[in-house]
Amino acid sequence: MTTSVRVTASAPPHRRPAVGTTTLAARAAYVLRRNDLGTMTAAAPRLYPHMWSWDAAFISVGIAQLSVERAITELETLLAAQWSTGMLPHIVFSPQSTGYFPGPDRWGCAQLAGAAPGAPETSGICQPPVHAIALQRIVETARRGSAQDRSLADDFVDRAWAPLMNWHRWLAEQRDPRGTGRLTVHHGWESGMDNSPRWDAPYRGVVVGQELPPYRRRDTEFVADASHRPSDREYDRYLWLIEEMRQAGYDDARVRETSSFAVQDVLMSAIFALACDALADLGDERRGRRDDIRELRVWAERFRSGVAASLDPLTGLARDRDLRTGQWLGTQTLAGFAPILCGGLGQADERRMLALFDSDQWCGHPGLLAAVPPSASPAHPGFRPREYWRGPQWPVISWLFSWAFARRGWADRGACLREESLRLVADGTFAEYYDPFTGQPLGSLNQSWTAAVTLDWLC
C-alpha cells in the first residue's frame, strides 16, 4: 500500500487528529469487515443496515483490495435482486436487519409489481448506474493479483454481462424513451442526492395526498443533529411519491404518466455514459459481443451529447430539466460538472468548466479544508455546509471524479483529488459526508462506501 500521501498533523475544532495512512487503510478494512452481512455489506451499521445499489458498487471496489472473490459476491447479490424488466432496485433488504424505514412493507413491491422478485425483498426505484464502472475497477485490481483472482474476475464478467446489459437497456429505453440523452428520475432518491437543491422546484410541485399513511422516521434517530437531514415536509413528499408508484403497480409506463416528479438528471446521465463505455471496454476483450458493444457505444455517445446539450451559457454548468414544467433547473450543485465526467463539450466550453471547478466558487474556495467538490457551491446563497446534499463534501463523489479524470487522461487532476480527499478522511471516522470548512464528520460514521473508496485510494 502507498504511504506517501500527506495528511494533516493537527485537527480543526470538532475533528479528530489525522492518523497515518497505514493505520487509515487498516481501519477502512476493519469497517468493511464489520459491516459485512455475509453476502452483502450494510451501507452503514445503524442508519443504513441493508444493501443500497450504488453503495454496493463503490463498496465492491474497496472490498476487491481485500478479496476479489468477496467483491464479486457483493455485486452478485445485487444482480440476483434484479427485476425482470432489467431494473436494479435501489435497496435490497437484508432479512437480518429490521426496523429500517421505509422498509419492504411500505414499498410492497413483491405484492404490487409483477416484475419484482419474490425474494429478496427490494424497493421499487433505482439509483445511478455505477456498477459497470465498479466491475471494470475490480477487473483491474484482479489483474494485479493472482492467477486465481484474474480467473474469478474474468468468469464474473461473463456471468454479469447479460444482467448489466439488461440494466443498461432498461435505463436507455424506459428512462429515456424519447432519446434525449438524459435519464429521467421519478424520485430524488433515484439520483442518490436526496435533498439536493436540484430538486427543490420539482418537489414544490408534488402535492401530498390526504391518503398518505402515517409513518415514523428512523433516520433522525441515528444522527447527532437531525437538522442535517431532510425535513419532515420533504419526507412527506418522498413518501407520497412512493404511494404514487404503488398505485401505478410500479409499471414503468404508468409511472411515467402519473408520477408528480419527472426530472432529467444530468449527473446520472453522465454516469450512464461512463458506465456504457466501461462495459463496452470489458466486452472488447471478449469475442461474440459485437452487437452489445455497438449498442453500448451508441448509448454512451447519445448520453454524452444529451449531457453537453444541457449546458447553461450563463452559469457554465450543466442543468437538469423538469419534464412536468418544461423548465431547465439551473441550481449551482456539483451535478453541473457532469460534462467533465463523461466528455462531450467543445474544447472552449470544457476549459471554462474546468476553470470553474478549480475556482474560488468551488474546489478553490479559500475556506475549504480540502480542495474537493462540495455538493453545492460555497458561493451560492443557499449553501448549507452541514445539511446532507446542500453543501457537505462526499468522499465517494470525489472518488468518482478522480476516477473519471484519470480515465479522461487528466492524471494530475485525478491524483490531486485523491490526495485532497485523503486529507478529508484522515481522521479515520469514515463519515457519510463532511463539513467542508472544518472537516467535521457528519451523518453516519463507519460508512462502508467511504471506507471502500479510501481503501482503493490507498492501495
Side-chain angles (χ1 to χ4, degrees):
M1 294 187 178
T2 302
T3 57
S4 60
V5 177
R6 176 172 59 89
V7 293
T8 51
S10 59
H14 311 297
R15 181 172 166 84
R16 297 178 186 177
V19 300
T21 52
T22 301
T23 300
L24 188 65
R27 288 187 181 180
Y30 175 76
V31 167
L32 292 175
R33 290 185 174 114
R34 188 176 67 175
N35 293 351
D36 191 339
L37 300 177
T39 59
M40 67 169 67
T41 303
R46 299 181 66 205
L47 184 55
Y48 307 111
H50 303 284
M51 169 180 272
W52 268 255
S53 175
W54 75 325
D55 291 64
F58 291 112
I59 289 166
S60 70
V61 169
I63 292 176
Q65 302 297 342
L66 306 173
S67 167
V68 168
E69 184 175 16
R70 179 62 185 82
I72 289 170
T73 298
E74 192 73 17
L75 289 184
E76 281 189 316
T77 299
L78 178 64
L79 295 177
Q82 187 170 35
W83 288 32
S84 63
T85 56
M87 185 186 79
L88 289 179
H90 102 294
I91 301 176
V92 180
F93 292 103
S94 167
Q96 301 176 37
S97 304
T98 59
Y100 177 80
F101 182 83
D105 291 344
R106 189 74 176 213
W107 289 96
C109 295
Q111 296 74 37
L112 299 172
E121 294 182 294
T122 76
S123 65
I125 58 176
C126 65
Q127 277 191 322
V130 291
H131 311 89
I133 295 170
L135 177 58
Q136 188 179 59
R137 183 64 179 148
I138 291 170
V139 170
E140 291 170 354
T141 300
R143 288 177 179 167
R144 297 195 304 268
S146 66
Q148 182 181 10
D149 282 347
R150 293 192 294 274
S151 178
L152 286 170
D154 287 342
D155 289 346
F156 180 56
V157 171
D158 291 334
R159 294 199 306 277
W161 186 269
L164 288 176
M165 277 299 302
N166 290 339
W167 165 224
H168 283 212
R169 185 170 290 109
W170 179 82
L171 286 165
E173 294 179 354
Q174 298 300 329
R175 292 306 182 92
D176 185 29
R178 296 184 180 179
T180 65
R182 291 180 296 273
L183 297 174
T184 298
V185 294
H186 292 291
H187 201 299
W189 288 350
E190 292 198 305
S191 73
M193 300 181 177
D194 304 11
N195 72 328
S196 172
R198 304 165 67 192
W199 315 130
D200 286 355
Y203 271 129
R204 282 196 291 271
V206 176
V207 179
V208 178
Q210 293 183 348
E211 60 269 40
L212 178 69
Y215 65 94
R216 173 191 169 194
R217 292 179 64 176
R218 300 297 302 273
D219 59 316
T220 52
E221 299 174 9
F222 297 110
V223 294
D225 187 340
S227 68
H228 301 166
R229 301 286 299 177
S231 69
D232 287 346
R233 186 175 183 182
E234 289 171 314
Y235 228 80
D236 283 350
R237 289 168 172 156
Y238 299 163
L239 294 177
W240 179 248
L241 292 176
I242 295 175
E243 288 303 307
E244 289 185 334
M245 293 179 195
R246 285 171 55 94
Q247 292 168 16
Y250 296 100
D251 177 79
D252 292 323
R254 291 178 62 194
V255 168
R256 285 198 299 271
E257 292 176 1
T258 62
S259 176
S260 301
F261 190 102
V263 184
Q264 291 176 337
D265 181 339
V266 71
L267 183 61
M268 190 166 173
S269 302
I271 290 170
F272 185 55
L274 281 169
C276 286
D277 272 335
L279 190 56
D281 289 347
L282 289 170
D284 281 336
E285 302 172 1
R286 288 160 175 78
R287 296 179 181 178
R289 305 198 189 280
R290 290 184 179 179
D291 290 344
D292 286 348
I293 293 167
R294 189 178 302 112
E295 193 167 26
L296 288 164
R297 297 296 187 195
V298 168
W299 290 335
E301 182 55 34
R302 172 173 132 197
F303 283 87
R304 268 194 298 273
S305 298
V307 169
S310 73
L311 188 69
D312 186 343
L314 296 178
T315 66
L317 295 171
R319 297 169 292 180
D320 304 304
R321 190 173 190 186
D322 189 338
L323 294 181
R324 293 294 177 250
T325 65
Q327 299 297 309
W328 289 101
L329 306 174
T331 52
Q332 296 184 41
T333 72
L334 63 81
F337 293 105
I340 56 174
L341 284 175
C342 65
L345 293 178
Q347 289 186 356
D349 285 333
E350 187 166 82
R351 283 197 297 269
R352 282 191 288 269
M353 183 169 284
L354 286 169
L356 181 60
F357 188 81
D358 294 335
S359 74
D360 59 6
Q361 297 179 57
W362 287 95
C363 297
H365 190 283
L368 299 182
L369 177 72
V372 298
S375 45
S377 171
H380 192 273
F383 173 76
R384 300 174 190 173
R386 300 166 65 80
E387 190 176 331
Y388 214 41
W389 287 100
R390 293 179 174 270
Q393 292 168 321
W394 292 69
V396 70
I397 298 298
S398 298
W399 184 95
L400 181 63
F401 273 85
S402 176
W403 176 86
F405 285 175
R407 180 181 175 87
R408 298 204 60 203
W410 303 335
D412 290 345
R413 284 186 169 276
C416 182
L417 280 179
R418 170 186 174 273
E419 182 172 342
E420 291 295 310
S421 298
L422 285 171
R423 181 182 306 167
L424 188 65
V425 302
D427 65 348
T429 58
F430 305 110
E432 189 177 4
Y433 48 96
Y434 293 80
D435 184 307
F437 298 140
T438 68
Q440 182 180 356
L442 301 171
S444 177
L445 303 184
N446 296 315
Q447 190 85 8
S448 292
W449 68 0
T450 306
V453 298
T454 300
L455 193 60
D456 187 66
W457 276 320
L458 290 172
C459 292

